[in-house]
Amino acid sequence: MGATPNGSSSPQPFKFLIYGRTGWIGGVLGKLCDAQNIHYVYGSGRLEDRPSLEADIAAVRPTHVFNAAGVTGRPNVDWCESHKVDTIRTNVVGTLTLADVCRDKGLVLINYATGCIFEYDSEHPLGSGIGFKEEDTPNFIGSFYSKTKAMVEDLLKNYENVCTLRVRMPISSDLSNPRNFITKISRYEKVVDIPNSMTILDELLPISIEMAKRNLTGIYNFTNPGVVSHNEILEMYREYIDPNFTWKNFTLEEQAKVIIAPRSNNELDASKLKTEFPELLSIKESLIQNVFKPNRKTPVA
């Protein structure tokens, strides 16, 4: 049984089954559903355990399934380098199992994936404004985490019921959250300064719910249009939050000495998402409107 055709809306009231209750995105999704009066249930099954997923779906009878579960590693992706089987079990076996069960049940799966599977290259040079598109083949497997994510994305292309959202360096207005990219870099001793595509969750997670309502499937670069650098973000932080904030930069070569796995740096082309949602703000606009203005601590000039 196939899922509802891509782009057609569901006639019945929505009921979401969400995996990733204890995660950042999963938690925010629940709050958004509360705000929109959408009925939702957090899945209790383990992603790699097919019978437990089938039991969840039978009990909940959802209209859509959201996968915000996965292994990113704590405190960062370096963890995955020494926990490879755990990473495969959740990120590959688990995600594929959930997609397969959803396809059997005729359900669209909204899968929060990653855009950290690309790096700037000769065809997409840093600063060129030429971003990687949805159909481009991943070219970054420097970390085991990214390697597993690229593998599973390639396999999920065959599932017509899956909507794969490539999230990058997620940011939200909750500056106390340790997973928030702004919070991370504001606490680092030194930061690199490289323009990147990023995802403002306050703006994009509501869009992902709307994507489910529209039954959109396929791959989407799930980032705000354009790029922003580490220094540009920290300059905004200093302007809006802490006028005395200072930071130090270091090079990629210096960074490599203090991390285990290389990190992805890239620009993703968000025009496919922008076409579907024309109101989508550019990354710098969204940072100011959705993150820094609501948190402003400095006096307005």
Side-chain angles (χ1 to χ4, degrees), residues 19-296:
Y19 288 92
R21 176 179 204 148
T22 59
W24 182 18
I25 289 177
V28 175
L29 276 177
K31 291 174 184 171
L32 288 171
C33 288
D34 284 332
Q36 293 188 32
N37 292 315
I38 297 171
H39 187 46
Y40 68 97
V41 176
Y42 283 112
S44 57
R46 308 245 356 135
L47 293 190
E48 67 274 14
D49 179 7
R50 189 182 188 98
S52 72
L53 301 182
E54 291 171 335
D56 279 348
I57 289 171
V60 176
R61 298 172 64 87
T63 58
H64 299 80
V65 180
F66 290 74
N67 180 29
V71 170
T72 54
R74 295 291 169 88
N76 54 50
V77 295
D78 285 342
W79 180 92
C80 300
E81 302 298 317
S82 55
H83 297 79
K84 291 183 175 178
V85 171
D86 301 288
T87 305
I88 292 168
R89 185 180 296 120
T90 302
N91 289 358
V92 181
V93 178
T95 303
L96 290 173
T97 302
L98 181 59
D100 197 58
V101 170
C102 288
R103 186 177 184 275
D104 274 356
K105 306 298 181 186
L107 294 167
V108 166
L109 171 65
I110 305 293
N111 183 51
Y112 298 95
T114 185
C116 292
I117 51 177
F118 295 98
E119 63 180 341
Y120 290 117
D121 62 13
S122 58
E123 292 178 15
H124 309 82
L126 191 156
S128 68
I130 302 169
F132 290 91
K133 291 184 163 60
E134 281 78 4
E135 59 272 18
D136 286 335
T137 302
N139 69 346
F140 177 78
I141 51 169
S143 69
F144 191 73
Y145 167 80
S146 292
K147 191 174 182 178
T148 64
K149 290 290 194 173
M151 283 178 194
V152 82
E153 182 185 279
D154 187 50
L155 293 168
L156 285 177
K157 286 179 190 172
N158 301 291
Y159 283 81
E160 75 286 347
N161 63 310
V162 176
C163 182
T164 292
L165 303 179
R166 290 175 176 164
V167 175
R168 283 213 79 229
M169 297 178 166
I171 290 169
S172 87
S173 56
D174 178 6
L175 296 180
S176 65
N177 191 312
R179 311 306 300 275
N180 191 332
F181 182 75
I182 296 174
T183 311
K184 282 183 178 179
I185 65 170
S186 69
R187 294 175 180 175
Y188 287 163
E189 190 178 332
K190 293 180 180 178
V191 295
V192 293
D193 181 35
I194 302 172
N196 270 282
S197 286
M198 302 188 192
T199 303
I200 307 295
L201 297 180
D202 303 70
E203 183 175 12
L204 283 159
L205 286 187
I207 283 177
S208 68
I209 290 176
E210 181 58 33
M211 294 174 85
K213 292 177 179 178
R214 296 182 192 181
N215 287 312
L216 297 177
T217 54
I219 297 172
Y220 284 84
N221 288 335
F222 202 59
T223 57
N224 291 84
V227 291
V228 65
S229 72
H230 299 64
N231 280 8
E232 286 173 322
I233 290 175
L234 294 175
E235 283 161 10
M236 291 180 196
Y237 187 88
R238 183 169 60 194
E239 179 183 347
Y240 286 88
I241 310 296
D242 179 3
N244 298 313
F245 184 78
T246 59
W247 68 94
K248 294 177 183 175
N249 289 125
F250 65 163
T251 64
L252 279 174
E253 291 72 26
E254 289 169 320
Q255 183 196 47
K257 295 174 183 174
V258 297
I259 57 177
I260 295 169
R263 302 296 195 260
S264 154
N265 292 289
N266 68 55
E267 177 171 355
L268 299 182
D269 184 330
S271 55
K272 181 180 176 182
L273 189 66
K274 177 80 172 174
T275 299
E276 189 71 36
F277 297 94
E279 68 276 17
L280 185 62
L281 295 177
S282 72
I283 183 62
K284 291 174 187 176
E285 288 177 302
S286 194
L287 273 166
I288 291 168
Q289 296 302 323
N290 292 303
V291 180
F292 286 113
K293 278 190 175 176
N295 280 295
R296 182 169 207 141

